[in-house]
């Protein structure tokens, strides 16, 4: 199964790590890779997000990875810092 990051996923990933120290950024990047590997091995490991096509998986204490699966591709949709307003998340994921 292939994995693709959306532009939103890339943008939100870099927004999150830009607030971290170098060592914390490396740790978060490694945790992200491990999470993606787990999703590849078990596509439905993340919990379903509301009534959307997205699933979410907690990477760190405050960041979720949102993804969806279409055919044989896992699309990483975005990284979400749980400190943000959840209404914004629903707006982003609604399109």
């Amino acid at each position: 199964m292939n994995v693709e990051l959306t532009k939103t996923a890339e943008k939100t990933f870099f927004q999150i790590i830009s607030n971290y120290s170098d060592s914390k950024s490396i740790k978060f990047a490694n945790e992200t890779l491990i999470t993606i590997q787990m999703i590849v091995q078990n596509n439905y490991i993340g919990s379903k997000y509301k009534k959307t096509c997205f699933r979410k998986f907690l990477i760190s204490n405050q960041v979720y990875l949102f993804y969806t699966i279409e055919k044989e591709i896992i699309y990483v949709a975005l990284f979400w810092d749980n400190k943000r307003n959840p209404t914004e998340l629903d707006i982003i994921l609604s399109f």
Side-chain angles (χ1 to χ4, degrees):
M1 186 154 295
N2 293 326
V3 178
E4 292 187 20
L5 270 67
T6 64
K7 291 191 184 300
T8 303
E10 290 178 16
K11 179 182 171 187
T12 54
F13 178 84
F14 288 111
Q15 285 174 341
I16 289 168
I17 65 168
S18 70
N19 296 319
Y20 291 164
S21 66
D22 288 345
S23 61
K24 191 169 180 182
S25 294
I26 292 168
K27 182 179 179 187
F28 181 76
N30 288 333
E31 290 171 347
T32 300
L33 291 173
I34 290 167
T35 299
I36 291 172
Q37 289 172 348
M38 287 191 305
I39 292 169
V40 167
Q41 292 172 0
N42 182 355
N43 304 161
Y44 298 99
I45 194 169
S47 59
K48 193 114 169 84
Y49 182 70
K50 297 187 177 180
K51 292 185 179 185
T52 68
C53 63
F54 296 99
R55 301 185 84 78
K56 64 180 183 175
F57 195 93
L58 188 65
I59 296 177
S60 68
N61 291 340
Q62 64 193 41
V63 178
Y64 274 103
L65 178 153
F66 283 82
Y67 69 97
T68 189
I69 301 167
E70 293 179 17
K71 298 183 183 178
E72 291 295 312
I73 302 173
I74 297 169
Y75 291 97
V76 177
L78 72 119
F79 295 85
W80 184 258
D81 185 335
N82 294 327
K83 293 179 186 175
R84 293 181 60 187
N85 182 345
T87 305
E88 291 177 29
L89 175 61
D90 291 338
I91 291 169
I92 292 170
L93 293 178
S94 67
F95 65 92

